[in-house]
Amino acid sequence: MAVDRDKVTKGLKLLREKGFSDEQIAIGIGAQMPGGAHPGAMSVYRWRTGRNKPREMYCWAVIEMARAQKEKE
């Protein structure tokens, strides 16, 4: 199943609005990955600003983090 890149962009924006830094988002992604693999904070910054696109496995982690934050509302 393909990832909706718009959901990832919106998820990153939501996480920033909730007070997460790029570093915290990167660490949160790593908490969901097997073996703790995670992107760097600069990668998250580039995704958020539209300079690069994340790999699909990271997209799913961002979407899941955003969903968890929406549930807390």
Side-chain angles (χ1 to χ4, degrees):
M1 180 162 50
V3 175
D4 183 353
R5 301 283 180 175
D6 287 336
K7 284 186 181 179
V8 176
T9 302
K10 289 176 184 176
L12 289 168
K13 182 179 177 182
L14 173 78
L15 292 170
R16 288 293 290 195
E17 288 172 358
K18 296 291 183 178
F20 285 82
S21 67
D22 293 335
E23 293 85 3
Q24 290 171 317
I25 294 169
I27 291 168
I29 291 170
Q32 298 179 61
M33 294 289 116
H38 63 83
M42 282 305 297
S43 292
V44 174
Y45 169 78
R46 287 189 291 269
W47 303 340
R48 193 170 47 76
T49 59
R51 294 182 183 171
N52 287 356
K53 295 179 182 176
R55 291 174 46 192
E56 198 165 291
M57 67 179 190
Y58 293 146
C59 289
W60 290 111
V62 169
I63 291 169
E64 180 61 26
M65 287 177 66
R67 186 190 61 77
Q69 289 303 308
K70 281 183 182 178
E71 287 180 357
K72 289 183 179 182
E73 294 178 343

